[in-house]
Amino acid sequence: MLGFDTIVAVDWSGGNDTGATPRKDAIWAAVNRKGLAESPVYLRNRQVAEEWLTALFQAEQTAGRRVLAGFDFPFGYPAGFGAAFTGSDDPLAVWDWLEQRITDTPKENNRFDLAGSLNLKLGSGKGPFWFNGLGRDVSGLARNKKDYANPFNEKRHCENLAKGAFTCWQMGGTGAVGGQMMTGLPVLARLRRQFDVAVWPFQPLDAAIAFVEIWPSLTVGAAPEGEIKDAWQVAEVARQIAALAPERLAEILAVDAPVEGWIFGLGFEDELNTPPLRNDCFALPPGVHWTPVEEALAVLQDRLSPVTGVETLTVPQALGRVLAAPVSALRSNPPLPNTAVDGYGFAGARGAGVHVLPLAQGRAAAGDAPRDLAEGHAVRVLTGAALPLGVDTVVLQEDVQLGDGTIRFSGPVKAGANTRKAGEDVVTGQEILEAGRRVTPADLALMAAVGMREIAVRKPLRVGILSTGDELVEAGETAKAGQIYDANRPMLMGLVTAFGHTCVDLGRAADDREDLRKRLDAASDKVDVILTSGGASAGDEDHMSALLQKAGAMTLWRIAIKPGRPLALGMWNGVPVFGLPGNPVAAMVCTLIFARPAMDVLAGALWSVPQGFDVPAGFTKAKKAGRREYLRARIRDGRAEVFASEGSGRISGLSWAEGLVELPEPATTINIGDPVRYIPYGSFGIGT
């Protein structure tokens, strides 16, 4: 029962009322409801915050929406504190105990006095709490850590793992959470009594409202210039949690810390701190009219980021998936020194001449544990066997004569001959695969060899394919005069599948703006990116670009490329849309050149550049200046030959070709035998 409709993130403060004007170092809250973010809310003091939270929870409860509410202060003290004052290790008993003792108004509270009295009750009056921020002395509470004594751990286990986390014993000062904790837990205790609440990780999250401990600085980077850090961070945390699939959220919440509590997202920082795509992520610099191919690719590489979630799979299940984190070896390969051949092992080198060594009984075979060998003896070893202790050299069995309990061979033999050293391939802890790599069969072998059982991978990118236009009919249907069969959708679906993504068929949309809008709305709930063909220019029936333009998130790229030119890029309900040309040849070329590397990044993979080769031309051509051209081509007799026609409507040329010849922007004349760059389809990740 871990599906939540509404995510709330709250940045708390233990200080006094901060006034009517929104400011930093105050209480801020952010709501993300069903993936839609609301503007952060400024709450000037804890009383206003409690009233706001009460109203919010009441409204969500009335609407039947489940809520996950995160608060940025510790939910538990280090082990032993609760038992010392409440007689119980139950951290929620501490909440109620504090609620009975804290007095709090917008202008003052007694947190420093309570901390001092707790220190005195423990006997020394010198800890665990410290820092007095008042203008008067407080009995039992030092202003600094001079003569400090703490009967408990300085930090909880989770805080020792979270770099930069503050101790809950510090009651004030920059970054301190002790005061926030003492003033925040009583508020949460009262809210628990008023609503159906479960507290993580102390209780099963089967209630209408879940309270979760957060620390925004753990998973959120620096705020953009001009933004209030606290306001921006809570909005980001709410977005991060809302973007998680229920099963992934369940994995992150699967924590066993029943006494001290835990910080949400600890151990998953890199995954959570993935910024969303902006509505202007495809925007080009002002004044750009014809965009060079390299500039367009640079914009995509710079502006896009992964949009896919993360899951854990066994190594065999991970074939074709994108690694979400680097993989490091759990064990060296080989784990022990071993023999590379069948032969006889012994210690040390042997010089020129004939050598005779006594032969020990038995043998060492692959899978046997290393055995001891008497000094000066030899032992039979089989390929792959761990070398017996003391053995570092092996002589081939073909070079040995067996005697009565001895072996005889001629030297010289170098020390270490015919053996493999432990870890000569991979050593324990070595990074063997980088994040963003798509797992290959060879990678499966490598990971298995070093002991990997499970790895974190990106979920497949879900790519929706939509064709537009009244002129289109499905292949096999009756085509009326003026109608054509839809060739783009099956082609694009094949390409997307070959790229390793999950393809979602969105069908065909008529030349009707409202119909297209409904299809985009429906698609944005079930795919990560949308590829459309047709309607991407600026004509009367180019509804795709018109809709994206009206949504305020569209850039019509006029790219200096042939075939192609118009490419409508934009965002629809947070989902990137690639509006490809309607011509099949141009649609395929633009998909290979632009959409393919962009989708790799969205899928969490590394930006990829297709490998091309300089080969002799088997054709002649006079190319004009201005556009980069891609010719359908194949290699025959060591030369690149191109399709007879450059017409963009000649679909047969796509099938005929086995790759593309890329001609740069400047004018050029190509003669037979001149070097040209040939990019095989395989370099784009597709077969011929």
Side-chain angles (χ1 to χ4, degrees), residues 364-393:
D368 292 345
R371 54 175 286 186
D372 290 323
L373 182 67
E375 185 175 354
H377 283 61
V379 65
R380 173 73 166 150
V381 293
L382 302 181
T383 302
L387 295 178
L389 299 178
V391 171
D392 60 7
T393 304

Side-chain angles (χ1 to χ4, degrees), residues 530-553:
I530 299 172
L531 295 187
T532 72
S533 59
S537 191
D540 293 342
E541 298 299 329
D542 288 321
H543 300 294
M544 176 56 64
S545 53
L547 280 176
L548 292 174
Q549 188 72 55
K550 190 173 182 180

Side-chain angles (χ1 to χ4, degrees), residues 78-354:
F81 176 82
F85 290 100
T86 70
S88 169
D89 284 328
D90 181 5
L92 298 180
V94 176
W95 291 24
D96 295 332
W97 189 86
L98 288 174
E99 197 268 334
Q100 295 169 9
R101 289 162 175 79
I102 283 287
T103 57
D104 196 2
T105 70
K107 294 297 184 182
E108 61 181 2
N109 62 73
N110 68 334
R111 70 181 190 273
F112 295 115
D113 295 288
L114 179 58
S117 69
L118 295 179
N119 284 348
L120 292 172
K121 286 182 180 180
L122 288 170
S124 69
K126 296 181 179 180
F129 297 101
W130 64 278
F131 189 96
N132 172 16
L134 300 177
R136 58 178 174 83
D137 289 337
V138 174
S139 179
L141 184 65
R143 294 189 180 275
N144 53 49
K145 295 187 74 173
K146 185 179 180 182
D147 299 326
Y148 180 67
N150 189 348
F152 310 108
N153 289 332
E154 186 66 12
K155 291 183 177 181
R156 299 178 296 163
H157 177 58
C158 61
E159 287 154 350
N160 286 321
L161 298 177
K163 184 178 180 180
F166 277 69
T167 171
C168 61
W169 308 123
Q170 182 178 344
M171 292 301 296
T174 302
V177 296
Q180 296 181 26
M181 191 174 180
M182 271 199 185
T183 58
L185 291 180
V187 173
L188 299 192
R190 288 191 290 272
L191 292 170
R192 283 186 65 229
R193 291 197 294 269
Q194 187 174 352
F195 297 98
D196 178 26
V197 173
V199 181
W200 176 80
F202 311 132
Q203 299 173 314
L205 297 186
D206 53 5
I209 300 173
F211 285 173
V212 173
E213 177 185 336
I214 62 174
W215 180 32
S217 294
L218 180 72
T219 60
V220 177
E225 186 175 353
E227 297 270 3
I228 295 176
K229 175 184 175 182
D230 301 330
W232 185 79
Q233 284 194 332
V234 290
E236 271 295 284
V237 170
R239 179 197 64 77
Q240 290 172 349
I241 299 175
L244 292 169
E247 60 271 18
R248 189 55 176 167
L249 177 59
E251 293 176 8
I252 295 176
L253 292 172
V255 170
D256 182 22
V259 175
E260 294 186 336
W262 200 258
I263 302 169
F264 179 85
L266 184 59
F268 300 88
E269 295 90 335
D270 290 342
E271 172 186 344
L272 293 170
N273 191 15
T274 301
L277 299 179
R278 308 184 309 270
N279 271 357
D280 64 348
C281 67
F282 297 121
L284 293 172
V288 172
H289 181 57
W290 290 102
T291 306
V293 170
E294 289 302 327
E295 183 174 331
L297 291 173
V299 169
L300 292 176
Q301 185 176 6
D302 179 63
R303 304 281 182 81
L304 299 180
S305 57
V307 298
T308 50
V310 177
E311 62 183 340
T312 300
L313 296 180
T314 63
V315 165
Q317 294 173 323
L319 180 64
R321 300 291 283 275
V322 175
L323 292 175
V327 177
S328 297
L330 294 178
R331 178 176 166 176
S332 296
N333 182 50
L336 295 170
N338 66 78
T339 174
V341 298
D342 291 340
Y344 295 86
F346 46 84
R350 293 294 186 272
V354 175

Side-chain angles (χ1 to χ4, degrees), residues 495-509:
L495 287 172
V496 166
T497 301
F499 296 155
H501 311 306
T502 297
C503 193
V504 180
D505 187 356
L506 302 179
R508 302 189 316 276

Side-chain angles (χ1 to χ4, degrees), residues 52-76:
W52 182 85
L53 287 166
T54 299
L56 174 69
F57 293 159
Q58 185 62 61
E60 299 304 296
Q61 178 179 281
T62 300
R65 292 188 287 263
R66 294 196 71 218
V67 179
L68 184 148
F71 299 88
D72 78 327
F73 49 79
F75 281 9

Side-chain angles (χ1 to χ4, degrees), residues 279-280 513 517 520-521 543-555 570-575 577:
N279 271 357
D280 64 348
R513 201 161 296 185
R517 182 197 306 277
L520 291 175
D521 284 342
H543 300 294
M544 176 56 64
S545 53
L547 280 176
L548 292 174
Q549 188 72 55
K550 190 173 182 180
M554 198 281 285
T555 299
M571 303 287 291
W572 190 269
N573 294 339
V575 175
V577 178

